[in-house]
Amino acid sequence: MPSSRELIKLDAMENPYGWPDEVIAEWLSVLKHVDINRYPDADCISLRENLHSVMQLPSGMDVLLGNGSDDLIQIIAMALAGPGRVFMTPEPGFVMYRQISRIVNLQYQGLPLEPGDFSLERDKTLAAIRQYQPSLVFIACPNNPTGNLFDRETVTTIIQEAPGLVVIDEAYHAFAGDTFMDCLSLFDNLLVLRTLSKSGLAGLRLGYLVGPPAWINELNKIRLPYNINVLTQKSVAFFLDRYDLLVRQAEKICQDREILFRQLQDMDSLTVWPSRANFLLFRCHDRDAASVHEELIQQGILIKNLHGSQPGLDQCLRVTVGTPRENECFVSALSGLL
Ligand SMILES: *Cc1c(COP(=O)(O)O)cnc(C)c1O
């Protein structure tokens, strides 16, 4: 079996592109001057201002930074935990929600998505919210692992009807062409969560949570003071100055996603779902997902087997959009197997 370094890695929604050599050289020269013997700025003041302007975040809203957005999910869950409190989220969904709610003793309650298209059915969703009265609702837009965006009006109704906090997780916003950022001023129980991981900086670990100062101040009390290390602070600032490069890479990935989607759609023995993220979910009809997964590894390609991981994902696999060459290798290996 090929070692993981040699594998074409399409399992974790990473950006497959690097940076030009001259940009890397400039970045390394910035890092030369970092005082690693000193503690980082605990409040990340300049990085937060930087994010505010580069990401065009709404004025009047504050930003909380996390060591990846997983860190922020944990901070929010810890803040909202208490006896009998419920954490609700669409299912199938992002696995960390369940794991974190278990760690902090929140009662996890999945909202089953419609089996055909993974949409959120409005009336069922509202009934579940009335029944369980969740303290915390997480909605990933687009959703992972299904890749779809939920109907905007349904999500808005959830925000209105939820008795507690609603967090819209926009981990894939760079590929989605849609956001709830502009709704923050309309609701006092809404926060928007993002990460730079899927855009191309997964190794640096930086997530950011945006919302009204009243919420962000409270959550900041739980955050450990030095959760963003000095190398990440300096490096992210450097890459934000060149953010247009990441935007262009995301555009390329979206174009290649559509090519890959059509190629998978042309295969008779699988169903592929449209995606607004940088990955595609598909279901095998005549083959076991586990054996397809294994045989792809034998051919040097790593994707994600989701069969058995959550309800609603029988015989499903998820592939990250890679470079055109990686996608071609994947398509030809897969069509050979099916
Ligand atoms: C990948 C992902 C995250 C976590 O990203 P970090 O690398 O921890 O910033 C959060 N939410 C969703 C829906 C994801 O898919």
Side-chain angles (χ1 to χ4, degrees):
M1 184 161 64
S3 82
S4 79
R5 272 199 88 82
E6 294 157 5
L7 282 174
I8 294 179
K9 197 170 172 305
L10 302 175
D11 64 324
M13 282 77 87
E14 293 148 332
N15 175 336
Y17 299 108
W19 294 72
D21 287 344
E22 63 274 17
V23 177
I24 296 294
E26 241 184 291
W27 170 48
L28 293 176
S29 73
V30 168
L31 294 185
K32 253 188 227 165
H33 305 290
V34 170
D35 296 323
I36 52 165
N37 56 321
R38 305 290 177 199
Y39 281 100
D41 173 6
D43 297 318
C44 297
I45 292 171
S46 82
L47 182 54
R48 285 192 297 131
E49 282 171 1
N50 208 335
L51 268 173
H52 228 289
S53 73
V54 174
M55 300 299 174
Q56 300 175 320
L57 304 180
S59 61
M61 295 297 154
D62 271 358
V63 178
L64 189 70
L65 300 185
N67 184 10
S69 50
D70 290 347
D71 184 26
L72 293 164
I73 298 168
Q74 187 174 49
I75 288 172
I76 298 164
M78 282 166 74
L80 275 289
R85 296 237 181 129
V86 171
F87 181 131
M88 188 173 262
T89 192
E91 203 170 58
F94 183 44
V95 287
M96 288 306 292
Y97 299 154
R98 182 192 280 270
Q99 203 166 315
I100 287 172
S101 58
R102 197 170 282 156
I103 293 169
V104 304
N105 262 328
L106 271 164
Q107 184 192 320
Y108 177 89
Q109 184 62 48
L111 272 168
L113 296 173
E114 296 304 297
D117 60 359
F118 300 113
S119 62
L120 262 177
E121 207 279 317
R122 189 176 179 279
D123 294 341
K124 275 191 232 167
T125 302
L126 294 183
I129 286 180
R130 293 196 186 111
Q131 181 185 351
Y132 292 102
Q133 295 289 306
S135 303
L136 180 57
V137 178
F138 258 82
I139 307 177
C141 298
N143 191 38
N144 172 15
T146 58
N148 57 316
L149 275 176
F150 300 119
D151 173 62
R152 219 182 149 85
E153 220 179 293
T154 304
V155 174
T156 306
T157 314
I158 294 171
I159 301 166
Q160 284 163 339
E161 297 286 323
L165 181 65
V166 178
V167 180
I168 305 294
D169 183 343
E170 297 187 346
Y172 300 94
H173 83 100
F175 315 98
D178 201 9
T179 178
F180 276 83
M181 207 56 95
D182 48 342
C183 295
L184 282 172
S185 59
L186 306 177
F187 306 102
D188 60 9
N189 64 332
L190 174 64
L191 299 175
V192 175
L193 178 64
R194 286 187 185 169
T195 175
L196 297 178
S197 295
K198 312 298 163 43
S199 309
L201 301 177
L204 289 177
R205 311 301 298 135
L206 193 86
Y208 60 104
L209 180 69
V210 187
W215 274 109
I216 299 295
N217 289 341
E218 288 307 302
L219 295 170
N220 194 34
K221 293 174 185 169
I222 294 177
R223 181 183 65 90
L224 294 174
Y226 303 115
N227 65 332
I228 313 298
N229 75 70
V230 68
L231 294 176
T232 296
Q233 290 192 31
K234 291 287 185 233
S235 302
V236 171
F238 176 86
F239 290 118
L240 284 178
D241 285 343
R242 292 150 186 82
Y243 191 67
D244 57 317
L245 191 57
L246 288 179
V247 171
R248 286 201 301 275
Q249 291 176 346
E251 285 166 1
K252 170 75 177 141
I253 290 166
C254 288
Q255 289 164 6
D256 292 336
R257 173 187 70 203
E258 297 314 307
I259 295 170
L260 185 57
F261 175 74
R262 286 193 294 274
Q263 288 170 324
L264 295 184
Q265 218 179 14
D266 284 344
M267 297 185 193
D268 291 333
S269 48
L270 60 81
T271 299
V272 59
W273 282 273
S275 166
R276 299 287 291 270
N278 62 341
F279 60 84
L280 292 166
L281 180 75
F282 62 97
R283 171 175 284 144
C284 302
H285 296 309
D286 314 323
R287 289 284 320 266
D288 231 27
S291 64
V292 170
H293 179 251
E294 190 50 41
E295 286 170 42
L296 284 172
I297 291 176
Q298 298 303 330
Q299 297 192 43
I301 301 163
L302 180 64
I303 65 169
K304 182 82 178 171
N305 176 19
L306 295 164
H307 178 76
S309 63
Q310 297 181 62
L313 296 176
D314 287 356
Q315 306 305 343
C316 284
L317 296 149
R318 185 190 65 200
V319 62
T320 305
V321 180
T323 62
R325 197 193 66 83
E326 289 173 332
N327 301 337
E328 277 161 29
C329 288
F330 163 69
V331 168
S332 82
L334 183 67
S335 58
L337 287 178
L338 294 177

